[in-house]
Amino acid sequence: MSPAPTAHVESVDFVMLYIVAISVILLIGITVTMIYFVFKFNRKKGHQPVDIHGNLLLEVVWIVIPTLLVLSMFYFGYTSYREYRIKPDNPLVVDVTARMWQFTFKYGNGKMTDTLYVPVNTAIDLEMKSMDVNHCLYIPAFRIKEDIIYGQTHHLYFTPKEVGDYDIACAEYCGLNHAKMYTKVKVINDDQFTKWYGGNWQPVKTEIPKE
Amino acid sequence: MANGTIAMTDLPVPKAEKSFFEQSTNKHSGILSWLLTTDHKRIGLMYMFGIISFFLVGAIIGLLMRLELLSPGGKIFSAQTYNSLFTLHGVIMIFLFIIPGIPAIFGNFFLPIQIGARDVAFPRLNLLSWYVYIVGAILALTSLFLPGGPIDTGWTFYIPYSVRSGSNVSLAIFAAFILGFSSILTGINFVTTTHRLRAPGMSFFKMPLFVWATYATAWIQIIATPVIAITILLVIIERAFGVGIFDPALGGDPVLYQHMFWIYSHPAVYIMILPAMGVVSEIIPTFARRTIFGYKQIAYSSLAIAFIGYLVWGHHMFSSGQSDTSNWIFSLLTFLVALPSGVKIFNWVATMYKGSIDPQPPFLWVMSFIVLFSIGGLTGLVLGALATDIHLTDTYFVVAHFHYVMFGGTGTIFIAAFHYWFPKMFGKMYNLKFAKIAVVTYFIGFNMLYFPKFIMGYLGMPRRYYDYLPMYTPYQRISTYGSWILVSTLFFIVGYFIHAYFRGKKATSNPWGGVTLEWHIPSPPPVENFKVIPVITHDPYDFSQLKEMKDE
Ligand code: HEM
Ligand SMILES: [Cu+2]
Ligand SMILES: [Cu+2]
């Protein structure tokens, strides 16, 4: 596996792993218990069924433990989400225009492209608007997306820490060629970016915590 | 004596007693005796024909979509065709199959019988609601063939696209509007029937859990459906007269639309699942031959789900720029509303403990349900958590999740209910060996079809795409192969039921050893259900009656 392209990816994958691990345990527990009962209490064995109407202790246990589990899932999901929603200080702002069926990126110096170029280790703020219907800018490798509701301005923040090309897709159905709204975000070195940008873009370094 | 007087009146079933198939409730015979009937059982069967036909049509459309996705490149259909296909598939499956499904067929047929009534409270209203369903369905079909072409907005009809689309949006959503009324009328009928027509001795806590579930569902149908009706009317007004309600270009608010849509459509998820849960609570005790574990807990949790279910609609909108505060509140509530459903699963499994289990086909279908529905519910937790939802919403992960819940949950139980009640409804028994084979191929096909979608979703495959990046090809392949197994199984099932209807062995009045009231009367039941209204003395799942019933 290549290293996570943003810090947020690690935290989303942790939440995913946490919930899926608990889920797999529960699923196996339920399935195995059920199959075991079907064999153990099979009619062929001929024991008398026992009417058990309930068991207070058991019922309290199986409501309290799942409650605690889901609260912890909620908590991890929320904290990871919070940190992703915080607007970074001095980000590089890129204007994004979504239209049927294309994204356009516009930089501070007026440069326009249909592929998103960003410098590595710099906080990015995508300021997104739509020209027609709702779209949604989705970067699967970064585990983030935000709808672009027509008539509103939406923001998406991320700080790439690995150089590379990553897919951008549209994730809100927008008509005929919704499936073709793919483009890329190209994360490149400062030097390359300066050259591509054709001038000073005032890099603002954010501290990337070491893992 | 089982359940008071009933055993006595039921005792010597005279050969001459006519079933509801043979005796018309009006002066007509032949087709008019059906089209003008007020018998809840006949109406249930008329719904059955409509609903199963649409289910099969929807399934074939699903099959076609999967065919397109067999390999990348969009080779079979145009993008426009694919977009209409998934919209039609969604609309048919939701509005014509899964929402009416269990209540309209099995609720109509068995709710009155299970509470010891001769019919629903408003038999003519019941017939009307069937006609409203048919009119809605015809309108939906008409919209396919008028100029403009089939609707292509997705079943969620999101604004502004649904105002801009040139396809027949207005007529198609008007059809959904009409179908809503059918749902409301059925709801009113069931609530009234449950309150007014219970047999003497049948207190609320002596009602079978299927009645509880259908009753709770009926409330949601009455309370939530008007919201979608209003929303649809507003969209039609917006499209027809250019009044700015939802479209920002006219000064409207598209997020308002999303709120209104989900204020109905989230509770609608419970309209889909609660009746299925009710059926499960019938089948497990019958085949385990012991009482249900935690009767009251299950009954109350149906009501709890019905009412708390109104408060979580915002979890469909985590990525739509809703405030962070709304997001965390909706996320928290979503986790809490998941609990009663989870607890029901524990109750069902606990009901197998110390039972005397005879795993006949209906029970096997329920076992398959428990696994598939658990997967659906547990992956719902992944989507309830904010960080993961942002990544996975509007991807195949969601597509997999809701098929596991709606199809693996409700759809599986829809099939289970037929296996359970078919002998009662038609007086014939189907081939049990075929049914056991079908459970297995269904389970395999289902997981092949949908499990790869979880993985694709996590890898970033968005939904509603007619084409995809080559990296997804292996998963898409498996999924398409699964659809072949699954859909053939569906036709196999329909086939052996039709065969059973014409050629099957005669079924006895109680082939599984059930004790709720429908098993006390002949198969198929007579028009009046009960000659004398029974007096209820037993709890619903009291199998000590079984001995007395055998002597009946
Ligand atoms: C019988 C086999 C079925 C197959 C092969 C199938 C397949 C599919 C496929 C391929 C999609 C489109 C995914 C996408 O491109 O985003 C889809 C969407 C959908 N399916 Fe199914 N499905 C089946 C049964 C069902 C059932 C039983 C239900 C409901 C109870 C259902 C409800 C839906 C809904 C609501 C959508 C979303 C439509 C939309 O995006 O607007 N499907 N299905
Ligand atoms: Cu799009
Ligand atoms: Cu919902």
Side-chain angles (χ1 to χ4, degrees):
Chain A
M1 282 282 297
S2 45
T6 70
H8 183 61
V9 169
E10 286 162 22
S11 89
V12 175
D13 286 355
F14 165 74
V15 181
M16 181 78 187
L17 206 64
Y18 179 75
I19 301 180
V20 169
I22 292 176
S23 301
V24 168
I25 294 170
L26 283 170
L27 181 68
I28 292 178
I30 290 167
T31 311
V32 169
T33 313
M34 176 174 74
I35 293 175
Y36 172 73
F37 284 173
V38 172
F39 282 101
K40 170 98 194 205
F41 303 110
N42 203 288
R43 194 166 297 167
K44 284 200 192 108
K45 299 204 168 161
H47 25 217
Q48 277 302 309
V50 183
D51 274 342
I52 302 166
H53 291 269
N55 177 322
L56 191 63
L57 180 67
L58 191 61
E59 286 167 62
V60 169
V61 167
W62 76 34
I63 189 90
V64 170
I65 292 180
T67 305
L68 296 177
L69 286 178
V70 299
L71 287 178
S72 70
M73 292 174 189
F74 162 75
Y75 175 79
F76 288 131
Y78 174 67
T79 46
S80 164
Y81 168 79
R82 267 308 297 165
E83 131 232 305
Y84 139 79
R85 294 285 287 187
I86 292 167
K87 186 180 163 71
D89 301 328
N90 298 318
L92 172 68
V93 180
V94 182
D95 282 333
V96 180
T97 309
R99 61 163 65 80
M100 290 162 152
W101 291 278
Q102 188 184 32
F103 291 107
T104 319
F105 305 96
K106 191 170 168 214
Y107 293 79
N109 65 354
K111 198 171 169 86
M112 275 169 72
T113 61
D114 49 19
T115 303
L116 179 61
Y117 287 87
V118 293
V120 72
N121 289 337
T122 302
I124 310 294
D125 172 4
L126 300 183
E127 197 167 300
M128 311 188 292
K129 281 206 176 75
S130 164
M131 303 291 287
D132 37 47
V133 297
N134 301 342
H135 300 272
C136 175
L137 192 141
Y138 177 31
I139 311 177
F142 297 172
R143 314 279 189 265
I144 54 173
K145 65 163 71 72
E146 170 87 7
D147 290 6
I148 312 174
I149 307 279
Y150 175 55
Q152 301 182 354
T153 304
H154 289 261
H155 289 268
L156 190 65
Y157 313 116
F158 59 93
T159 309
K161 52 175 203 172
E162 295 294 331
V163 169
D165 292 358
Y166 308 95
D167 291 320
I168 295 180
C170 176
E172 183 65 56
Y173 176 66
C174 57
L176 191 66
N177 281 323
H178 168 57
K180 297 288 178 194
M181 259 178 93
Y182 269 116
T183 177
K184 286 210 186 284
V185 47
K186 289 181 188 279
V187 180
I188 52 184
N189 294 328
D190 284 3
D191 302 347
Q192 282 174 303
F193 188 76
T194 313
K195 209 157 115 217
W196 175 84
Y197 192 74
N200 180 25
W201 50 280
Q202 293 179 333
V204 184
K205 288 291 167 202
T206 35
E207 284 298 310
I208 306 292
K210 290 251 176 317
E211 62 258 43
Chain B
M1 206 172 296
N3 267 335
T5 55
I6 178 170
M8 206 159 40
T9 57
D10 203 26
L11 225 163
V13 181
K15 278 267 166 326
E17 194 173 14
K18 283 187 176 164
S19 79
F20 75 98
F21 282 102
E22 295 150 344
Q23 194 180 338
S24 174
T25 50
N26 51 39
K27 57 182 192 292
H28 306 279
S29 60
I31 186 82
L32 279 185
S33 76
W34 285 84
L35 291 179
L36 299 176
T37 187
T38 50
D39 179 15
H40 65 102
K41 300 180 286 300
R42 287 194 173 203
I43 294 174
L45 292 190
M46 295 204 295
Y47 267 114
M48 182 189 82
F49 282 108
I51 288 170
I52 291 186
S53 312
F54 284 114
F55 176 44
L56 294 179
V57 171
I60 290 173
I61 298 179
L63 199 68
L64 292 176
M65 283 190 284
R66 285 306 331 160
L67 213 55
E68 167 68 70
L69 297 169
L70 183 61
S71 37
K75 295 195 183 85
I76 300 179
F77 304 118
S78 66
Q80 183 66 33
T81 309
Y82 185 85
N83 294 348
S84 292
L85 286 180
F86 72 67
T87 307
L88 293 175
H89 172 80
V91 169
I92 289 175
M93 288 302 194
I94 299 284
F95 294 106
L96 292 168
F97 167 58
I98 208 88
I99 288 183
I102 294 177
I105 303 175
F106 300 103
N108 256 319
F109 203 110
F110 289 106
L111 179 118
I113 300 182
Q114 286 197 326
I115 60 171
R118 293 218 154 95
D119 206 328
V120 291
F122 309 115
R124 268 175 293 192
L125 193 67
N126 202 14
L127 181 62
L128 177 66
S129 64
W130 182 78
Y131 276 101
V132 174
Y133 172 82
I134 293 297
V135 169
I138 291 175
L139 283 178
L141 290 179
T142 315
S143 79
L144 304 183
F145 301 106
L146 291 183
I151 181 171
D152 67 344
T153 59
W155 84 277
T156 47
F157 319 124
Y158 268 22
I159 303 271
Y161 186 71
S162 60
V163 174
R164 308 293 162 72
S165 168
S167 63
N168 280 320
V169 176
S170 297
L171 189 56
I173 61 178
F174 187 64
F177 174 82
I178 299 284
L179 289 169
F181 280 94
S182 170
S183 190
I184 295 173
L185 295 182
T186 305
I188 292 174
N189 225 331
F190 287 175
V191 166
T192 319
T193 306
T194 309
H195 276 283
R196 308 293 307 164
L197 298 185
R198 278 170 292 127
M202 177 157 295
S203 61
F204 259 72
F205 289 112
K206 282 209 164 65
M207 297 193 315
L209 287 164
F210 178 65
V211 176
W212 267 103
T214 313
Y215 170 76
T217 309
W219 274 113
I220 316 180
Q221 287 170 287
I222 297 172
I223 298 173
T225 316
V227 181
I228 192 80
I230 295 166
T231 315
I232 287 174
L233 277 191
L234 292 175
V235 175
I236 294 177
I237 290 172
E238 179 147 17
R239 275 181 70 93
F241 306 111
V243 182
I245 301 161
F246 301 126
D247 185 355
L250 304 167
D253 181 358
V255 179
L256 177 65
Y257 172 83
Q258 298 187 12
H259 281 293
M260 292 185 66
F261 181 83
W262 289 112
I263 286 175
Y264 166 72
S265 295
H266 188 80
V269 171
Y270 300 112
I271 299 182
M272 303 170 201
I273 195 65
L274 279 175
M277 293 173 154
V279 176
V280 175
S281 306
E282 296 298 310
I283 293 180
I284 293 183
T286 297
F287 293 90
R289 209 156 273 186
R290 51 151 285 185
T291 192
I292 191 110
F293 186 98
Y295 173 91
K296 283 202 178 172
Q297 213 182 8
I298 296 182
Y300 282 129
S301 74
S302 288
L303 286 184
I305 290 174
F307 290 99
I308 314 174
Y310 289 102
L311 306 177
V312 298
W313 78 88
H315 65 207
H316 296 272
M317 300 165 62
F318 286 155
S319 72
S320 65
Q322 207 169 231
S323 77
D324 290 352
T325 314
S326 314
N327 276 357
W328 78 254
I329 293 174
F330 280 123
S331 169
L332 185 61
L333 288 172
T334 299
F335 277 112
L336 295 181
V337 83
L339 291 167
S341 302
V343 167
K344 282 194 186 207
I345 295 187
F346 298 146
N347 277 310
W348 291 325
V349 175
T351 301
M352 300 175 192
Y353 178 69
K354 294 207 168 165
S356 165
I357 300 175
D358 184 16
Q360 292 296 329
F363 189 85
L364 296 176
W365 282 100
V366 166
M367 288 176 71
S368 167
F369 157 87
I370 288 185
V371 176
L372 299 176
F373 182 68
S374 298
I375 296 178
L378 292 166
T379 51
L381 299 175
V382 176
L383 295 168
L386 287 169
T388 35
D389 179 79
I390 294 293
H391 173 39
L392 297 170
T393 188
D394 273 313
T395 69
Y396 267 32
F397 194 92
V398 171
V399 176
H401 158 73
F402 70 66
H403 280 101
Y404 269 90
V405 178
M406 295 199 292
F407 191 177
T410 310
T412 306
I413 289 307
F414 182 80
I415 299 170
F418 268 106
H419 286 83
Y420 184 52
W421 279 317
F422 183 88
K424 176 56 61 186
M425 297 163 83
F426 298 97
K428 294 289 179 66
M429 188 48 102
Y430 51 89
N431 184 322
L432 296 181
K433 196 176 275 156
F434 285 171
K436 287 178 184 168
I437 296 172
V439 180
V440 175
T441 55
Y442 177 92
F443 190 80
I444 295 172
F446 191 97
N447 287 298
M448 274 175 71
L449 170 53
Y450 296 116
F451 202 85
K453 290 192 201 258
F454 283 125
I455 301 169
M456 283 190 270
Y458 200 73
L459 295 176
M461 168 82 210
R463 68 189 281 201
R464 297 174 171 171
Y465 269 32
Y466 76 98
D467 192 7
Y468 52 86
L469 301 178
M471 63 180 278
Y472 299 110
T473 312
Y475 304 103
Q476 297 276 19
R477 281 265 146 99
I478 298 174
S479 180
T480 299
Y481 300 150
S483 74
W484 297 343
I485 300 178
L486 184 65
V487 176
S488 347
T489 304
L490 295 179
F491 279 92
F492 176 53
I493 295 170
V494 173
Y496 66 68
F497 275 127
I498 292 178
H499 179 264
Y501 177 74
F502 289 107
R503 294 273 150 76
K505 278 203 226 85
K506 257 183 96 52
T508 59
S509 66
N510 193 3
W512 312 123
V515 289
T516 41
L517 288 178
E518 74 272 30
W519 304 111
H520 294 246
I521 60 175
S523 311
V527 173
E528 299 269 85
N529 301 341
F530 306 95
K531 269 205 226 118
V532 175
I533 296 294
V535 177
I536 309 304
T537 51
H538 289 270
D539 282 339
Y541 306 108
D542 176 359
F543 286 84
S544 66
Q545 318 172 55
L546 214 51
K547 250 192 221 122
E548 307 158 34
M549 286 170 71
K550 288 225 176 88
D551 309 333
E552 278 170 11

